[in-house]
Amino acid sequence: MSIPSSEYNRYLAAIKAANDSGNKELLRQIRDALYAQYGPMDDDVDYLIRQFRYNI
């Protein structure tokens, strides 16, 4: 299942905001939501997770 572009852009914006504020808890929540909805094997999910500035 591929992420719809509007949702992909929302996730990317949320990741950038969490990175800028150093909010690791928000990054964890984003990761968990992506994995729950699309699974860890989705290419879009993989790319979005690699955008995290911090290891969580």
Side-chain angles (χ1 to χ4, degrees):
M1 174 185 296
S2 186
I3 301 174
S5 61
S6 61
E7 193 163 337
Y8 177 91
N9 290 331
R10 275 196 301 265
Y11 274 116
L12 188 56
I15 290 166
K16 288 179 180 181
N19 281 338
D20 290 346
S21 67
N23 190 338
K24 292 182 181 181
E25 180 57 34
L26 181 55
L27 290 171
R28 276 189 209 91
Q29 292 173 8
I30 293 168
R31 178 199 60 198
D32 293 348
L34 284 167
Y35 285 167
Q37 192 164 9
Y38 299 103
M41 303 305 288
D42 185 277
D43 289 339
D44 290 336
V45 169
D46 181 57
Y47 178 79
L48 288 169
I49 298 297
R50 287 187 286 125
Q51 300 312 301
F52 287 14
R53 187 178 298 155
Y54 304 97
N55 290 326
I56 53 168

